[in-house]
Amino acid sequence: GENVEQHPSTLSVQEGDSAVIKCTYSDSASNYFPWYKQELGKRPQLIIDIRSNVGEKKDQRIAVTLNKTAKHFSLHITETQPEDSAVYFCAASTGTYKYIFGTGTRLKVLA
Amino acid sequence: GAVVSQHPSRVICKSGTSVKIECRSLDFQATTMFWYRQFPKQSLMLMATSNEGSKATYEQGVEKDKFLINHASLTLSTLTVTSAHPEDSSFYICSARDPLAGPQETQYFGPGTRLLVL
């Protein structure tokens, strides 16, 4: 079955700097890759997603890149702000719509 | 749009009792809902896929007789933890797909239910 690895597990950056989180997946049939942000004790919120027919997608300060050949995708947050501090999860999905989540990255933006 | 609610938000129960958690799609009809479990500082682990009008599909290692799932309507799925034990204490989160809006694959998550079994 699908396996998703996520790195790093924790990441601290200075406010204004960029943050990059990387995920790799094992199932070449995976075709949808969402990223979720979860604050403590709250529900995961979708922040950006990408499909396998696209190499890059951007939404303001957030971008996601996908390398299908290498089976990895990355989240890029530019100009980080304290409110970006949270746990970020990547996920991979095949046509069954099931998500397999990565292990999460705890991002801390230092003011 | 695409709002998912869960009830209760927190529940404390005694070991051996059963607990029911409700997941509702408030403004759309969800033919498929998913149930996840999240232990502290860990990822979301898919437990089962809940299909309206049919039996749920459980992930490997999840006991279907312990975690009963019912999806009787297009807006409601329930998860019952039977004979709960302290090791069942966790954060249970549901999600739902809205097949009529946006990407087919997107899941919208409920706020979660924190279960504590004493």
Side-chain angles (χ1 to χ4, degrees):
Chain A
E2 176 66 281
N3 182 50
V4 179
E5 295 187 0
Q6 184 171 345
H7 299 281
S9 57
T10 60
L11 178 61
S12 292
V13 299
Q14 288 294 136
E15 182 178 0
D17 288 350
S18 296
V20 180
I21 303 170
K22 298 181 179 181
C23 288
T24 59
Y25 60 99
S26 60
D27 189 347
S28 56
S30 291
N31 56 11
Y32 177 71
F33 307 92
W35 284 89
Y36 284 84
K37 174 184 179 182
Q38 187 181 31
E39 298 179 10
L40 188 62
K42 298 192 175 179
R43 77 183 82 198
Q45 300 271 15
L46 178 70
I47 56 172
I48 197 166
D49 56 10
I50 192 167
R51 281 197 176 75
S52 58
N53 59 348
V54 176
E56 184 174 357
K57 184 177 178 180
K58 189 174 182 180
D59 182 4
Q60 299 184 344
R61 297 187 296 110
I62 296 173
V64 56
T65 58
L66 171 66
N67 183 325
K68 282 177 55 180
T69 304
K71 288 191 277 190
H72 65 69
F73 56 112
S74 300
L75 177 71
H76 305 253
I77 306 175
T78 59
E79 301 173 25
T80 54
Q81 301 166 2
E83 50 265 38
D84 294 330
S85 297
V87 179
Y88 291 81
F89 291 99
C90 65
S93 177
T94 65
T96 63
Y97 304 123
K98 286 180 3 178
Y99 286 4
I100 302 300
F101 279 91
T103 48
T105 296
R106 189 171 301 275
L107 174 65
K108 188 177 293 185
V109 179
L110 306 172
Chain B
V3 177
V4 178
S5 71
Q6 272 183 252
H7 179 80
S9 57
R10 293 173 180 266
V11 58
I12 301 174
C13 69
K14 293 182 179 179
S15 186
T17 60
S18 294
V19 174
K20 181 185 283 188
I21 302 170
E22 294 185 347
C23 177
R24 293 182 185 273
S25 57
L26 297 185
D27 51 0
F28 65 99
Q29 294 183 330
T31 54
T32 306
M33 291 183 174
F34 302 89
W35 286 96
Y36 295 85
R37 182 167 50 182
Q38 186 177 32
F39 292 110
K41 296 188 178 182
Q42 293 191 24
S43 188
L44 290 87
M45 299 300 297
L46 180 64
M47 299 175 66
T49 303
S50 172
N51 301 296
E52 188 268 337
S54 64
K55 291 183 179 180
T57 304
Y58 290 81
E59 295 300 301
Q60 193 171 11
V62 178
E63 300 175 58
K64 63 180 181 180
D65 294 330
K66 180 170 181 61
F67 298 100
L68 301 178
I69 292 173
N70 184 280
H71 194 156
S73 78
L74 287 171
T75 59
L76 173 64
S77 175
T78 61
L79 168 68
T80 301
V81 182
T82 63
S83 187
H85 289 102
E87 56 265 32
D88 297 324
S89 299
S90 188
F91 194 49
Y92 291 86
I93 309 178
C94 69
S95 71
R97 287 179 50 234
D98 181 355
L100 298 181
Q104 286 287 303
E105 305 90 341
T106 299
Q107 293 183 22
Y108 300 95
F109 284 84
T113 296
R114 190 162 300 282
L115 170 63
L116 177 60
V117 184
L118 303 176

